[in-house]
Amino acid sequence: GNSVTQMEGPVTLSEEAFLTINCTYTATGYPSLFWYVQYPGEGLQLLLKATKADDKGSNKGFEATYRKETTSFHLEKGSVQVSDSAVYFCALSESNTGNQFYFGTGTSLTVIP
Amino acid sequence: DAGVIQSPRHEVTEMGQEVTLRCKPISGHNSLFWYRQTMMRGLELLIYFNNNVPIDDSGMPEDRFSAKMPNASFSTLKIQPSEPRDSAVYFCASSLTRDNQPQHFGDGTRLSIL
């Protein structure tokens, strides 16, 4: 079946530190992969996506590369800011599931000045 | 552009009362999803619709929960009777039913059952 595994949180970093949030997936076919961000009191917002192997999604300084050989889609940012404090969700969808998404459990990030 | 609109944003009610949550998807989107988010269980898919037809309701916790989508621009999630353990944030999301399309989330309804 389909599933997503994210690294456990919470993660606390100092401003300007390097961020990595690990995500690995299991899928029966050829999934698309997504990262969503949730700020306090808000819904999930799409951060970036990649639709095939070796694609790199990027947005707002965040990047993630679709690695089929390691079934991974790790989120990275070179220099985090206080405003990046949020919960980050990795997700996959497969075309044979009617666009149903499979979400990871979320990783809480706190950036301190 | 209008996003997914949910109402109410907050609901506080007493145990045993009927609760109705509402969702207006993005115009043109033909898939709609209802999720529940709690600290203990994280984000759970309750039910989803394609072209107004329920496709998978296996995530609906029990018969007290029901969802309808009478037309392409409106959906409801109803809990009757409500219980304290139903307290959670309920999200609605919509998308195009095509490969690689992201889901777009509303801001959620924070439900508290006393």
Side-chain angles (χ1 to χ4, degrees), chain A residues 53-105:
Chain A
D54 300 326
D55 267 2
K56 177 185 284 188
S58 61
N59 186 25
K60 299 181 181 179
F62 291 89
E63 293 183 341
T65 302
Y66 188 163
R67 301 284 189 202
K68 188 177 178 183
E69 63 276 14
T70 54
T71 62
S72 65
F73 193 54
H74 305 323
L75 183 68
E76 296 182 336
K77 186 175 185 182
S79 175
V80 294
Q81 305 300 312
V82 172
S83 57
D84 293 328
S85 299
V87 180
Y88 293 82
F89 291 88
C90 185
L92 74 81
S93 73
E94 281 203 275
S95 57
N96 62 355
T97 62
N99 211 34
Q100 180 178 348
F101 271 44
Y102 299 84
F103 284 91
T105 52

Side-chain angles (χ1 to χ4, degrees), chain A residues 30-32 34 36 38 41-46 49 51 89 93-101 103-105, chain B residues 9 31 33 35 37 42-43 45 48 50 56 91 95-108 110:
Chain A
Y30 303 95
S32 297
F34 305 81
Y36 280 78
Q38 184 179 28
E42 298 183 12
L44 280 69
Q45 301 174 25
L46 178 67
K49 72 175 189 180
T51 60
F89 291 88
S93 73
E94 281 203 275
S95 57
N96 62 355
T97 62
N99 211 34
Q100 180 178 348
F101 271 44
F103 284 91
T105 52
Chain B
R9 287 297 312 277
S31 291
F33 306 80
Y35 292 90
Q37 187 178 40
L43 192 65
L45 176 66
Y48 76 95
N50 280 351
D56 185 353
F91 289 104
S95 75
L96 293 168
T97 307
R98 288 204 304 262
D99 292 356
N100 312 323
Q101 295 302 306
Q103 291 186 7
H104 298 261
F105 282 73
D107 284 335
R110 184 172 295 276

